[in-house]
Amino acid sequence: MAEHIKTKVLVVGGGPGGYVAGIRAGQLGLDTVVVDGDRLGGTCLIRGCIPSKAIIHAAEMFEQMSHAAAKGGHVGISLSEPPKLDLAATVKWKEGIVDRLNSGVTGLLKRAKVRVVSGWAKFSDAKTCAVGDITITAEHVILATGSDPVELPHLKFGGDVISSTGALDLAALPKRLAVVGGGYIGLELGIALRKLGAEVTVVEAAERILPTYDKQLTAPVAQWLKKNGVEVLVSTKAQGFAGGALTVEGPDGKKTDIKADKVLVAVGRKPRTEGWGLENMGVDLAGRFVKVDDQCRTSMRDVWAIGDLVGEPMLAHKASAQGEMVAEIIAGHKRRFNPVAIPAVCFTEPEIVSVGLGPEDKVNGEVLNASFPWAANGRAMTLEGADNGGFVRIIARKDDHRLLGIQAVGRNVSELSGEFAMALEMGATIEDITGIIHAHPTLSEGFFEAALRTLGHGIHV
Ligand code: FAD
Ligand code: NAD
């Protein structure tokens, strides 16, 4: 039966941007409706951040057990037989985590008294959309439709050419996997599938892998790939896939065939701006993204946009921060989106974290730049993370010692991203860090030691 809902706030998309906006709006007492055509949680929860980290964890376990089953065992532990992989069971376990989080989000929205409408929204004007036979009119519209994987014209998704979504739902481990794109997804998932036993080749168009991070930071990942038999072809472009072979063209123009059972194409993501009536809303674009100001206002009054739809970095925590902010602005709070830094973490082997400026960024004035190697950190040794070439690095202004950037590459360094971001966001100086007692034995002592080294007097190196 046709229904007309009139609401204060309509959120389109229930990903980490949209559902957080919905919960916060509900908490603030705003009459709110969230619409999603899929399960709540968005790319991140259903087919992105969470499922990929689950598979990465399982792959780590499998690798460690394989080491224990090798001749002589590992760290004094030996297994009499190599571990067996039942990938379908691993995928089922991963789905259990996704289900738990999906019902968690559903419960949180319910508790915040937010109405959830399931279905695809199609806008006829800036404030009106249809979801099936339901019409929704709102005073404020928050667009949070997210992004989709980029498809290459000569490598269309389908069959054995898969996107990250397919790679997270494999029925069986491919014997040979070709990965097109050596960025976040290609390397996080390529490394996990290598650990599970697949033969992996990475085809990257740029001159090096993970081109958004500086070379020093990605070197330990490149070293792991080499040591573990992952072939990396840089300055190389994929041409097409036929008869179980991916044809690639190298920097010299020479064509080669790479045998592959599956091809994972991970060459970036594009904002979801088509197919839901954005063109009827009178909202301006900035390049391929929806244009917003520092409050996430679009060019149309009381239409807001957040998350992957509005630009880089396309990260879940940025989407959520914008969602929370927009709900508060609608409720009358004074807020702006101007973070000093948004942390970026790559869950490769080893992990990479980067917050703020790197050594290749332009800075007015002189900088101090010092790093501390995990090889000299006790906790890293106990985690078997001291011999991978990893380090933590600080970049600070020479004149007032204010921190400008912090990066690390090493085992479990993702967990340091909070301290790094807090230091930059609070405007910390090197002395603020060296004045804090860091618990022993932890990786955070490496950050403390890097700060000491910036001052020229590291203790443990
Ligand atoms: P999305 O999460 O894409 O959500 C958009 C939602 O809108 C979807 O649920 C969709 O169904 C819905 N929708 C779209 N159009 C309509 C419509 N017309 N009507 C109704 N519903 C609609 N980021 C990190 O920070 N850390 C990570 O570790 C990480 N890992 C990732 C791993 C993978 C494999 C992938 C693919 C991405 C990963 N990301 C990660 C990126 C992260 O998933 C995105 O940045 C994040 O999901 C963006 O949130 P969003 O709310 O903007 O959009
Ligand atoms: P990406 O931008 O990280 O990497 C794409 C890579 O593909 C780049 O290195 C690029 O040079 C390369 N490339 C582009 N065209 C190519 C071609 N024709 N042939 C070969 N290589 C080509 O994109 P992604 O890995 O698809 O991930 C998409 C986005 O999702 C990321 O940018 C990030 O915002 C998000 N993400 C984040 C995380 C995380 O936070 N840990 C994990 C996964 C995804």
Side-chain angles (χ1 to χ4, degrees):
M1 205 179 60
E3 187 188 355
H4 190 168
I5 301 173
K6 288 184 181 162
T7 184
K8 174 91 176 171
V9 181
L10 164 64
V11 186
V12 186
Y19 86 71
V20 168
I23 292 172
R24 188 67 189 121
Q27 287 174 345
L28 290 161
L30 304 172
D31 184 25
T32 304
V33 174
V34 171
V35 181
D36 202 308
D38 200 340
R39 297 169 72 198
L40 288 171
T43 303
C44 179
L45 204 154
I46 308 296
R47 52 189 168 274
C49 329
I50 296 292
S52 62
K53 272 73 227 181
I55 299 293
I56 288 168
H57 170 70
E60 260 166 35
M61 274 184 68
F62 187 81
E63 188 197 34
Q64 283 182 6
M65 289 182 194
S66 304
H67 288 163
K71 200 169 164 237
H74 185 64
V75 297
I77 299 169
S78 52
L79 291 174
S80 49
E81 278 185 51
K84 288 192 189 81
L85 174 69
D86 178 350
L87 192 57
T90 307
V91 167
K92 201 168 159 202
W93 163 75
K94 176 261 302 180
E95 273 309 303
I97 299 170
V98 170
D99 289 348
R100 229 166 102 185
L101 286 166
N102 167 259
S103 48
V105 170
T106 309
L108 291 169
L109 284 164
K110 198 171 168 191
R111 219 167 308 151
K113 299 195 169 43
V114 174
R115 178 166 175 185
V116 174
V117 174
S118 292
W120 295 100
K122 181 125 202 217
F123 280 82
S124 47
D125 64 46
K127 301 290 174 63
T128 315
C129 74
V131 184
D133 56 7
I134 302 176
T135 304
I136 307 176
T137 314
E139 278 177 46
H140 292 267
V141 174
I142 305 177
L143 302 174
T145 56
S147 62
D148 285 314
V150 168
E151 194 170 48
L152 291 174
H154 43 283
L155 272 176
K156 296 250 184 230
F157 295 126
D160 291 325
V161 178
I162 56 175
S163 68
S164 53
T165 308
L168 292 168
D169 274 326
L170 288 167
L173 189 74
K175 189 171 175 314
R176 284 175 297 233
L177 174 77
V179 177
V180 180
Y184 274 98
I185 294 175
L187 289 184
E188 287 189 2
L189 296 183
I191 288 174
L193 292 169
R194 175 67 194 137
K195 287 183 180 177
L196 290 173
E199 289 167 28
V200 177
T201 305
V202 176
V203 178
E204 166 59 51
E207 281 175 3
R208 57 185 183 84
I209 54 161
L210 292 167
T212 52
Y213 292 99
D214 66 82
K215 200 171 175 183
Q216 224 184 352
L217 212 48
T218 56
V221 178
Q223 188 183 307
W224 187 94
L225 293 169
K226 195 169 176 198
K227 198 171 153 198
N228 287 274
V230 175
E231 193 179 1
V232 179
L233 305 172
V234 292
S235 304
T236 300
K237 284 196 180 128
Q239 304 275 306
F241 180 66
L246 178 74
T247 306
V248 300
E249 188 184 313
D252 51 2
K254 211 175 122 199
K255 289 193 179 155
T256 320
D257 280 352
I258 299 164
K259 283 192 178 158
D261 307 306
K262 295 268 181 214
V263 180
L264 164 61
V265 178
V267 293
R269 294 181 63 83
K270 58 175 195 301
R272 201 177 291 150
T273 49
E274 283 168 14
W276 49 273
L278 179 66
E279 61 285 1
N280 302 327
M281 299 180 78
V283 161
D284 288 347
L285 296 183
R288 55 190 191 136
F289 296 103
V290 167
K291 186 178 172 189
V292 288
D293 66 8
D294 63 357
Q295 289 188 308
C296 289
R297 290 177 196 272
T298 68
S299 55
M300 184 57 75
R301 193 184 168 90
D302 296 337
V303 176
W304 314 73
I306 60 175
D308 283 7
L309 185 64
V310 302
E312 300 283 355
M314 288 176 152
L315 297 174
H317 39 284
K318 183 209 73 173
S320 298
Q322 291 180 327
E324 194 217 15
M325 176 195 72
V326 168
E328 295 197 347
I329 295 173
I330 294 172
H333 299 201
K334 283 203 166 67
R335 294 284 311 271
R336 254 168 226 293
F337 190 73
N338 59 351
V340 173
I342 299 172
V345 175
C346 197
F347 293 81
T348 38
E349 179 66 61
E351 293 177 347
I352 299 176
V353 49
S354 179
V355 189
L357 300 182
E360 288 159 12
D361 290 311
K362 279 213 168 4
V363 179
N364 280 337
E366 280 188 78
V367 295
L368 298 170
N369 172 337
S371 57
F372 180 81
W374 295 121
N377 175 273
R379 182 61 180 142
M381 284 180 210
T382 66
L383 291 168
E384 298 179 84
D387 303 315
N388 53 20
F391 59 88
V392 50
R393 178 180 64 203
I394 289 180
I395 294 165
R397 282 156 62 126
K398 194 172 177 188
D399 54 2
D400 59 4
H401 286 191
R402 200 162 296 277
L403 301 193
L404 295 171
I406 313 162
Q407 290 84 28
V409 49
R411 180 153 293 171
N412 294 2
V413 295
S414 54
E415 294 302 332
L416 295 175
S417 60
E419 185 177 2
F420 293 175
M422 185 152 74
L424 287 197
E425 208 60 55
M426 295 187 76
T429 61
I430 303 168
E431 287 77 3
D432 288 330
I433 306 306
T434 56
I436 294 170
I437 298 175
H438 285 76
H440 179 72
T442 63
L443 295 179
S444 73
E445 288 172 290
F447 178 42
F448 170 77
E449 285 278 357
L452 286 178
R453 289 198 89 193
T454 324
L455 297 175
H457 52 85
I459 301 283
H460 288 96
V461 73

